[in-house]
Amino acid sequence: MSGVGAAQWPSKGSRQAALLARLDIHRPEDLILHLPLRYEDETRLTPVARVQPGTSAQIEAEVLSCENTRPRRQLLVHLRDDTGSEIIARWINFYPSLQKQLAPGRRVRLFGEVRGGFFGVEMVHPRLRLVDKGEPLPRALTPVYPTTAGLGQPTLRRLLDVALDAVPLDDPLPSTIRQQLALPGFAEAIHTLHRPPPDTDAHMLATREHPAWRRIKFEELLVQQLSLRRAYNARRAHEAVCLPPRRTLTRALHERLPFVLTSAQQRVLDEIAADLAAPHPMQRLLQGDVGSGKTVVAAFAMLQAAENGWQAALMAPTEILAEQHYRKLATWLDPLGIGITWLSGGRRKRERESELARLESGECLLAVGTHALIETPVNLPRLALAIIDEQHRFGVRQRLALRNKGTAGVRPHMLMMSATPIPRTLAMTHYADLDVSTLDELPPGRAPIHTRLASATRRTEIIARLKAACLEGRQAYWVCPLIEESEALQLKTALETWETLKEALPELRVGLIHGRLRAEEKTAVMAAFAAGELHVLVATTVIEVGVDVPRASLMVIEHAERFGLAQLHQLRGRVGRGTAQSSCVLLYEPPLSRAARARLKVIFEHNDGFAIAREDLRIRGPGEFIGARQSGLPLLRYADLERDGYLIEPAREAAAELLADDPAAAGKLLARWLDGREGLLRA
Ligand code: ADP
Ligand code: MG
């Protein structure tokens, strides 16, 4: 703690500067936006006779006695206030100096929670202030800040004095916007929150509904919108290849597809087709629940590139998925006379090299692959469209790496696909730098999946039912437990499960798939399962995303309690892809933790990915929910997407207005909140 005298902003490299940096406070401006966690009311004294056990209060009283009790070392202090009521204060850990301070006859103010103790009301470890009779009370609520060890509240408050003196609190927000939402000015809001005037409504401050809070939350949302909007505009300023729909190849695919596109697929395709025809890069997120038919949308987009003589690449997170995409696309595209290739780490070197050559020469226009697309020295000289399937499984860097595969200077159009739908509030905030297309309709004829929860004690019964169903010609996945700590252990469990099931089901053919198999082995197993040659497929989470075997209609997930919500929904989405009634059994190991029970309940009650995503967001909060994407994103500190959702739309409108009419004001707001800390995503 610094001594008395004029406080000043800690110098670079000092201990205090390092402590502040831990709170992400680097400049006085940052401290101004470091707002109280809560407030304590030291403006009033409560007579001891009227304190309510279970609440916090401030009392003023005189010490009657102060003893150091044995055998348990405790400082036990008896006090009496001016109305003659008595109270006990207790310290369990204390410095000897405390006992000296609390000599009989001393007058003190104690602030803390009051409890009903054995000997009457008492306070344990109250905050203590020695006072003289008649000493005035503070007139304002006392703010309590989030802090870190070694940086006390008094220090923070003193530094705030410095910051409030040093930083001009001008208000770049146009008064029209302020008036519409009845927001106070910036300076007024900041003063209210750091130094609440005596008449401030303490309840509204505590619940963060006070207009001063509203102003800050709005400004935070506005800055987020500004920053995302600016990134969006910057990307649009780049040039991309115009890929107008020529309908030579896409029409041919339309005619050959064994099904009719849903109207949602058609609408989304129109949105994408229009983007591809524009001279600046598309940045679109295609979200659609598991099974909504995103792959065929990708195929049409790729063909639109090909019919213009340009290349398109589709990247998927697993080998199984990449190969499946390849096979599906090849059956659709080969008859059109258009070549497609696939790349994965598992392919033989010689094969890979000839494929690479075909891509490099531009002879082959379409590529599907895993990370191998960005890792190996792949050259896609005419890359004009990059599609990322299951985009949440990739990091920002990987997405950028795929984008950079094209010729320097030409930015490919980007389409990100995701089966983890983003709740509307998140789409409007954290994903506002993307255009979003939504498949809100499943192909016709899908029967909802019947989900059941069963304790692992009923395993034998479940196996018997599985057997009966498979003997009737159904196919099943048996998903092995996720063991996050150890891949080796996970593999061992999978092998054991496979052995057990083979033994229990001698009449059935049981296959096994896991991440450690060689690529050809995986291919062979998936092909056998897809062809109906295997009844049961024992699988690790390698099948979590994308795998599409419409005939499989049963799934058992072991240790379902270990999986996250999105993961369970994805896994379950491997069934229910055909017209047969599908079911999914979630086996859990009792006893269940509260969190696990909540997750399983959500999966049990909901089939709709949007509803599940909303629950997931509610349970985990946006930071966790967004996961890999968060790197470089300013997360919200004050605005709460659920409670303050009504501010998002106005913030969005205000952002558009400011960027158009008053870019200088927008710049000031961005500098105040972000100070150049805008992340990778902006690239
Ligand atoms: P996802 O959106 O989960 O990636 P897929 O693209 O794997 O879904 O599609 C799921 C299944 O539905 C596939 O077998 C696909 O061929 C099929 N499908 C896609 N669109 C339609 C449609 N309009 N009508 C019928 N089946 C469709
Ligand atoms: Mg898919």
Side-chain angles (χ1 to χ4, degrees):
M1 229 181 268
S2 61
V4 276
Q8 38 180 296
W9 192 254
S11 53
K12 248 204 172 113
S14 66
R15 193 178 102 83
Q16 221 167 50
L19 289 170
L20 286 169
R22 258 191 235 166
L23 300 170
D24 208 15
I25 297 168
H26 311 276
R27 326 164 286 167
E29 285 84 344
D30 300 335
L31 189 61
I32 298 278
L33 292 174
H34 187 71
L35 297 171
L37 213 51
R38 57 192 170 82
Y39 298 86
E40 282 173 352
D41 187 356
E42 295 172 321
T43 64
R44 281 176 302 160
L45 290 173
T46 309
V48 169
R50 271 201 268 136
V51 294
Q52 297 277 342
T55 63
S56 287
Q58 177 170 243
I59 61 145
E60 186 171 312
E62 225 162 71
V63 177
L64 294 176
S65 70
C66 172
E67 56 174 324
N68 193 343
T69 65
R70 286 167 212 287
R72 284 194 301 151
R73 248 175 60 88
Q74 273 196 17
L75 196 65
L76 194 65
V77 186
H78 284 259
L79 305 112
R80 183 164 56 206
D81 76 359
D82 290 348
T83 64
S85 310
E86 292 185 14
I87 187 166
I88 291 168
R90 209 190 273 280
W91 278 267
I92 293 145
N93 289 307
F94 58 93
Y95 290 108
S97 61
L98 184 63
Q99 192 171 3
K100 287 206 194 91
Q101 287 181 349
L102 292 170
R106 285 307 304 261
R107 202 174 176 83
V108 296
R109 278 186 198 147
L110 301 179
F111 185 96
E113 193 183 321
V114 183
R115 306 203 302 206
F118 187 70
F119 301 106
V121 279
E122 62 172 35
M123 287 171 132
V124 179
H125 279 238
R127 212 165 50 230
L128 165 77
R129 210 172 124 84
L130 301 172
V131 290
D132 295 323
K133 197 171 168 104
E135 186 162 314
L137 287 159
R139 296 186 55 234
L141 294 171
T142 312
V144 180
Y145 294 96
T147 189
T148 182
L151 197 63
Q153 296 292 331
T155 313
L156 273 175
R157 276 179 219 138
R158 232 187 350 262
L159 288 173
L160 251 159
D161 284 334
V162 179
L164 284 170
D165 270 349
V167 179
L169 303 178
D170 51 334
D171 196 345
L173 207 59
S175 57
T176 46
I177 295 176
R178 263 171 42 199
Q179 277 159 13
Q180 276 161 20
L181 293 158
L183 301 173
F186 183 68
E188 185 190 334
I190 285 297
H191 278 291
T192 304
L193 295 177
H194 284 301
R195 300 283 143 74
D199 57 351
T200 312
D201 185 326
H203 178 73
M204 302 239 313
L205 267 195
T207 57
R208 303 200 166 185
E209 280 157 15
H210 195 282
W213 274 119
R214 192 164 69 224
R215 158 74 202 225
I216 296 299
K217 292 171 180 182
F218 175 77
E219 190 169 313
E220 180 177 44
L221 287 166
L222 171 61
V223 166
Q224 189 188 39
Q225 292 293 329
L226 285 173
S227 125
L228 291 168
R229 234 30 238 175
R230 217 164 55 158
Y232 180 88
N233 292 340
R235 280 194 307 232
R236 276 177 87 88
H238 287 272
E239 263 181 46
V241 186
C242 292
L243 304 168
R246 302 193 184 276
R247 306 197 201 288
T248 50
L249 292 171
T250 52
R251 179 172 300 139
L253 178 58
H254 260 299
E255 283 159 6
R256 283 176 174 276
L257 271 188
F259 48 75
V260 181
L261 293 182
T262 63
S263 54
Q265 282 169 321
Q266 193 54 61
R267 170 174 42 78
V268 161
L269 268 175
D270 292 343
E271 289 165 2
I272 294 170
D275 277 4
L276 292 178
H280 43 75
M282 165 168 81
Q283 284 292 329
R284 192 168 279 278
L285 177 70
L286 167 57
Q287 52 173 358
D289 209 347
V290 273
S292 58
K294 293 182 289 295
T295 318
V296 70
V297 173
F300 276 104
M302 291 170 89
L303 282 183
Q304 191 167 328
E307 65 192 12
N308 282 282
W310 286 84
Q311 289 177 314
L314 167 62
M315 181 162 77
T318 66
E319 268 182 21
I320 296 175
L321 187 51
E323 185 181 353
Q324 176 189 288
H325 280 334
Y326 166 72
R327 288 186 188 284
K328 181 160 276 179
L329 294 175
T331 49
W332 288 335
L333 306 184
D334 279 349
L336 311 182
I338 172 107
I340 181 164
T341 182
W342 71 290
L343 289 172
S344 83
R347 288 200 78 177
R348 284 178 217 289
K349 194 155 176 262
R350 184 138 16 102
E351 278 173 13
R352 201 161 63 198
E353 270 162 14
S354 76
E355 297 303 306
L356 288 179
R358 285 189 341 120
L359 289 170
E360 174 129 32
S361 69
E363 176 198 337
C364 184
L365 291 179
L366 305 179
V368 177
T370 57
H371 303 85
L373 274 177
I374 46 177
E375 280 156 12
T376 49
V378 185
N379 275 320
L380 299 161
R382 290 183 66 78
L383 183 68
L385 168 64
I387 304 181
I388 298 177
D389 193 18
E390 309 292 350
Q391 62 93 26
H392 60 286
R393 303 278 296 247
F394 292 96
V396 181
R397 271 170 225 287
Q398 292 169 312
R399 279 176 259 161
L400 294 185
L402 183 60
R403 192 185 75 186
N404 293 334
K405 278 290 169 185
T407 309
V410 181
R411 287 234 180 173
H413 298 280
M414 298 284 289
L415 180 64
M416 270 82 77
M417 308 205 290
S418 171
T420 305
I422 300 156
R424 199 177 120 77
T425 48
L426 258 194
M428 284 184 4
T429 52
H430 298 70
Y431 287 79
D433 57 338
L434 298 176
D435 294 307
V436 180
S437 291
T438 306
L439 288 176
D440 50 6
E441 183 185 356
L442 293 179
R446 301 269 171 88
I449 304 166
H450 187 80
T451 300
R452 283 187 303 143
L453 296 175
S455 156
T457 51
R458 291 172 50 201
R459 213 158 176 267
T460 325
E461 179 194 330
I462 303 288
I463 293 178
R465 290 222 211 150
L466 182 86
K467 178 169 143 186
C470 286
L471 286 176
E472 281 171 18
R474 298 175 68 178
Q475 283 181 284
Y477 293 99
W478 189 288
V479 181
C480 297
L482 174 73
I483 303 173
E484 278 187 337
E485 312 82 59
S486 156
E487 207 196 326
L489 210 55
Q490 177 153 329
L491 184 60
K492 182 165 165 279
T493 316
L495 287 168
E496 283 166 7
T497 310
W498 184 48
E499 293 297 341
T500 322
L501 284 180
K502 272 200 301 192
E503 209 165 291
L505 304 167
E507 310 83 343
L508 301 179
R509 282 186 302 277
V510 184
L512 170 67
I513 191 155
H514 57 75
R516 284 295 181 82
L517 291 181
R518 278 183 293 134
E520 308 92 271
E521 294 171 322
K522 281 186 212 158
T523 307
V525 176
M526 280 318 296
F529 189 59
E533 288 157 20
L534 293 172
H535 296 102
V536 180
L537 183 60
V538 176
T540 59
T541 47
V542 291
I543 60 148
E544 177 187 334
V545 290
V547 168
D548 183 40
V549 179
R551 287 160 58 163
S553 61
L554 288 176
M555 174 170 278
V556 178
I557 303 179
E558 277 203 82
H559 273 291
E561 77 279 2
R562 292 188 190 167
F563 293 91
L565 266 182
Q567 221 175 1
L568 282 174
H569 181 59
Q570 287 268 359
L571 275 172
R572 181 174 58 179
R574 296 314 112 216
V575 294
R577 307 191 137 233
T579 44
Q581 170 66 56
S582 292
S583 23
C584 176
V585 181
L586 305 173
L587 278 182
Y588 63 86
E589 198 67 44
L592 282 177
S593 71
R594 268 239 317 258
R597 183 182 303 273
R599 283 201 300 273
L600 292 181
K601 184 164 176 279
V602 172
I603 287 292
F604 176 71
E605 287 176 353
H606 299 276
N607 254 317
D608 166 16
F610 275 93
I612 291 169
R614 260 196 312 275
E615 292 296 310
D616 203 13
L617 176 63
R618 199 175 53 74
I619 295 175
R620 291 195 298 159
E624 287 274 313
F625 184 94
I626 300 169
R629 187 182 155 91
Q630 84 181 45
S631 44
L633 254 191
L635 289 176
L636 297 168
R637 293 147 69 188
Y638 303 117
D640 176 286
L641 291 188
E642 221 163 297
R643 250 185 16 198
D644 307 315
Y646 71 100
L647 290 173
I648 298 174
E649 195 60 60
R652 212 149 81 132
E653 284 164 17
E657 197 179 311
L658 270 193
L659 283 177
D661 303 344
D662 196 350
K668 270 191 192 163
L669 285 165
L670 284 162
R672 179 141 89 201
W673 284 78
L674 300 178
D675 184 31
R677 275 179 284 175
E678 295 177 70
L680 206 47
L681 264 164
R682 261 96 270 207

